[in-house]
Amino acid sequence: MSDTPQDYASATAQARILAQALPFLRRYAGATVVVKYGGAAMGDPELAETFGRDIALLKQVGVNPVIVHGGGPQINAMLQRLSLKSEFIDGLRVTDEAMVEVVEMVLAGTVNKQVTGLINNAGALAVGISGKDGGLIRAKKLTRTVKDPDSEIERVLDLGFVGEPSAIDARVIHALTGSGLIPVIAPIGLGNDGHTYNINADDAAGAIAGALHATRLLMLTDVPGVLDANKKLIPELSVTEARHLIADGVITGGMIPKVENCLEALGLGAKGAVILDGRVPHAVLLELFTEAGPGTLLHR
Ligand code: ADP
Ligand code: MG
């Protein structure tokens, strides 16, 4: 019990914050929110614990969170420990049979259970699965074409078992959320050829958010959101504006697939997608339950 004036003041402040959240709690009650979790937010133990608690809180207030996680650094660390050497074609890593086995081991094993544990430790019930479970993610081989600078002839590169989602069967997600459980998904897919494919977590999150017609797709990353040419945060972007920023070279590198997957999710029926800074504690709560709305909201 708090009985000093200070305790009472801070308790009152806390009560006020809860009261202010009411309209937001109403807005998102029953909503499906897909969260792409990775990068910096995943590497820092304190941030990771906070993330797990935030997801448990979402569930407690009636939101249906669906988590899709990455794990590139953890895969690289394991490849090193196993002294597996990578083959590169034109600077792009080839994922061979041995490597995709490690990818699956790390993503669907260690990392998937770590993320599940974060949420379970916070008192909610999360279930870790990979895109292979329940036929969730059907994968098709990703092909890259490069143009030879001298002859201008296009060549198709075979990068091995790297894929993209070709179809999503959301039944396993509905089965879990329908039982009050939180799905935690490792981005691995099964190809029609029976092979396992490594899928970029942004691609998996976008396809799943689209298939679920999610109210929100939240892409946690290591920058404040989409930045303009002067490195200033852009709070809101329409589909057309986003396409222009890619064409103009303002959006480059890893931000291109992130934005493209947000647009893809919107096209498939997601209501909104937000790219936000996972290094900020409580990024997910700030976005959903306050007026602050950090990051960049992409909408139709
Ligand atoms: P993640 O691990 O979250 O997928 P990525 O490194 O793949 O992160 O993608 C985010 C990166 O995209 C940023 O760190 C930044 O370097 C780069 N980037 C390129 N263009 C932009 C832009 N216009 N606004 C923000 N970030 C950008
Ligand atoms: Mg990336």
Side-chain angles (χ1 to χ4, degrees):
M1 276 300 284
S2 45
D3 44 17
T4 67
Q6 252 151 336
D7 285 346
Y8 190 75
S10 84
T12 304
Q14 201 175 338
R16 190 177 300 127
I17 290 164
L18 283 170
Q20 280 166 352
L22 179 61
F24 298 98
L25 295 176
R26 279 225 180 91
R27 182 194 296 170
Y28 290 109
T32 297
V33 175
V34 175
V35 183
K36 182 317 186 86
Y37 179 55
M42 210 157 118
D44 179 291
E46 209 168 311
L47 272 178
E49 196 191 318
T50 305
F51 173 81
R53 293 175 53 140
D54 288 355
I55 298 302
L57 189 144
L58 288 190
K59 192 69 174 179
Q60 191 65 45
V61 299
V63 176
N64 286 317
V66 174
I67 315 302
V68 181
H69 62 80
Q74 291 91 331
I75 292 168
N76 288 335
M78 183 56 78
L79 289 173
Q80 236 173 11
R81 271 170 71 182
L82 297 172
S83 311
L84 275 181
K85 294 271 171 292
S86 305
E87 189 200 328
F88 289 86
I89 303 181
D90 285 7
L92 297 166
R93 178 149 74 194
V94 178
T95 303
D96 62 15
E97 195 110 43
M99 203 168 292
V100 79
E101 201 180 326
V102 175
V103 167
E104 184 171 33
M105 221 169 81
V106 174
L107 279 184
T110 319
V111 177
N112 187 259
K113 301 314 154 196
Q114 252 165 16
V115 178
T116 304
L118 290 173
I119 299 168
N120 286 343
N121 281 339
L125 289 177
V127 175
I129 58 173
S130 91
K132 278 184 174 178
D133 292 291
L136 175 57
I137 305 177
R138 209 21 102 154
K140 68 165 187 274
K141 195 185 192 79
L142 199 63
T143 52
R144 288 272 177 83
T145 53
V146 286
K147 215 180 243 173
D148 186 276
D150 301 324
S151 61
E152 289 286 305
I153 291 172
E154 285 213 334
R155 283 187 303 137
V156 179
L157 300 182
D158 186 348
L159 299 179
F161 300 107
V162 179
E164 60 185 345
S166 60
I168 300 291
D169 185 334
R171 275 179 291 177
V172 63
I173 295 180
H174 293 305
L176 292 172
T177 53
S179 301
L181 304 166
I182 301 171
V184 174
I185 300 157
I188 299 282
L190 189 65
N192 286 332
D193 54 7
H195 277 295
T196 302
Y197 283 87
N198 182 11
I199 294 171
N200 180 304
D202 290 357
D203 291 358
I208 288 170
L212 293 174
H213 297 157
T215 300
R216 281 288 180 274
L217 164 62
L218 304 182
M219 294 270 205
L220 298 186
T221 184
D222 59 358
V223 281
V226 180
L227 308 176
D228 67 16
N230 301 315
K231 302 281 167 222
K232 260 195 68 195
L233 176 69
I234 306 171
E236 246 179 80
L237 273 180
S238 69
V239 174
T240 333
E241 288 166 338
R243 289 203 200 290
H244 278 133
L245 290 177
I246 294 176
D248 297 346
V250 175
I251 295 174
T252 59
M255 195 49 77
I256 295 178
K258 214 174 288 301
V259 168
E260 279 178 345
N261 279 300
C262 287
L263 300 185
E264 161 118 2
L266 291 176
L268 289 170
K271 312 285 179 300
V274 185
I275 297 174
L276 70 167
D277 199 338
R279 300 167 306 177
V280 173
H282 304 299
V284 170
L285 298 187
L286 275 169
E287 171 53 40
L288 296 178
F289 297 145
T290 76
E291 212 68 75
T296 304
L297 172 69
L298 290 105
H299 54 80
R300 271 173 268 183

